[in-house]
Amino acid sequence: VRTTTRLVRPQDAERFTELVQANREFLAPWDPVRPAEYYTLQGQRDTIELLLRAHADGAAVPLTILGDDEIVGRVTLSNIVRGALQSCSIGYWLAEAANGRGHATRAVAQSCELAFAQLGLHRVEAGTLVANVRSQAVLQRTGFRRFGLAPQYLKIAGRWQDHLLFQRLSDAE
Ligand SMILES: CC(C)(COP(=O)(O)OP(=O)(O)OC[C@H]1O[C@@H](n2cnc3c(N)ncnc32)[C@H](O)[C@@H]1OP(=O)(O)O)[C@@H](O)C(=O)NCCC(=O)NCCS
């Protein structure tokens, strides 16, 4: 089993459209409510364009996850903040059929390496729903530590829901 990550490309839109359609119910409990447009090719093109614009602005690094050379999900470093904070957030999802093989764990590990070694950041933050034990296991395997609980932190599946907050710090001075 091989996992690679690379910058999202506009040409990925077709495959992402297939994946978000096929995984709509699987992802729904962990996602914001999406407009109908999100599940269309144009919606995925627009999503990728927004992500690449944020990348051009230095605010995000959106990465396509490939499992054995097939697109299986996405991991995004976002909210990149410089100055005294030098921090970003990480978010990720995998197609249901690609779960259980370590793809998310390796993709998150590769993204942290990029955040620290290439972007020179000090910290990567992640938030999970309290019930999202699979995501918490990914963070545990990749060196994150839980540091808090944020009440009503994000509007997920239509409700403001509590999140556990995790962070991983760089070894660099
Ligand atoms: C959260 C999510 C990415 C986790 O996916 P996952 O497949 O459980 O995580 P990984 O890809 O790292 O795989 C881990 C599983 O593969 C197994 N595995 C096999 N080989 C492995 C390896 N080399 N390294 C790590 N795990 C491996 C692990 O034992 C684990 O199995 P388990 O499910 O029986 O415990 C996925 O469930 C998802 O997309 N959920 C919906 C969206 C979401 O919640 N995103 C996160 C929001 S905070």
Side-chain angles (χ1 to χ4, degrees):
V1 187
R2 199 166 76 99
T3 311
T4 51
T5 46
R6 56 144 176 86
L7 199 61
V8 168
R9 298 173 186 158
Q11 310 88 279
D12 296 345
E14 286 194 12
R15 173 66 177 156
F16 277 129
T17 307
E18 281 174 24
L19 290 183
V20 296
Q21 285 177 1
N23 291 278
R24 189 169 179 157
E25 280 172 31
F26 174 69
L27 296 173
W30 319 109
D31 260 359
V33 174
R34 309 286 191 184
E37 163 95 331
Y38 180 81
Y39 299 95
T40 67
L41 180 57
Q42 191 54 47
Q44 286 305 303
R45 284 189 176 136
D46 293 347
T47 299
I48 291 172
E49 193 184 316
L50 277 178
L51 288 168
L52 289 175
R53 208 176 300 157
H55 179 247
D57 291 343
V61 183
L63 301 169
T64 294
I65 303 173
L66 300 124
D68 293 324
D69 299 325
E70 184 186 49
I71 294 177
V72 292
R74 192 156 67 224
V75 56
T76 302
L77 302 175
S78 61
N79 298 327
I80 297 174
V81 178
R82 296 297 186 170
L85 190 60
Q86 299 293 341
S87 182
C88 70
S89 299
I90 191 166
Y92 43 85
W93 60 269
L94 278 184
E96 185 173 15
N99 270 237
R101 280 176 250 166
H103 288 312
T105 297
R106 284 184 294 272
V108 168
Q110 290 167 21
S111 304
C112 289
E113 175 63 20
L114 188 153
F116 297 143
Q118 288 187 43
L119 303 181
L121 295 175
H122 168 66
R123 173 179 180 270
V124 179
E125 176 173 324
T128 78
L129 283 176
V130 176
N132 200 344
V133 291
R134 294 189 75 92
S135 183
Q136 289 152 22
V138 169
L139 296 171
Q140 209 140 40
R141 285 190 289 265
T142 51
F144 282 75
R145 291 268 190 90
R146 180 179 156 182
F147 71 92
L149 182 138
Q152 300 181 36
Y153 181 64
L154 290 176
K155 195 168 195 177
I156 296 295
R159 290 187 298 126
W160 290 103
Q161 298 198 53
D162 298 353
H163 279 68
L164 297 179
L165 299 182
F166 296 80
Q167 67 176 16
R168 179 173 162 185
L169 299 178
S170 158
D171 296 330
E173 285 294 302

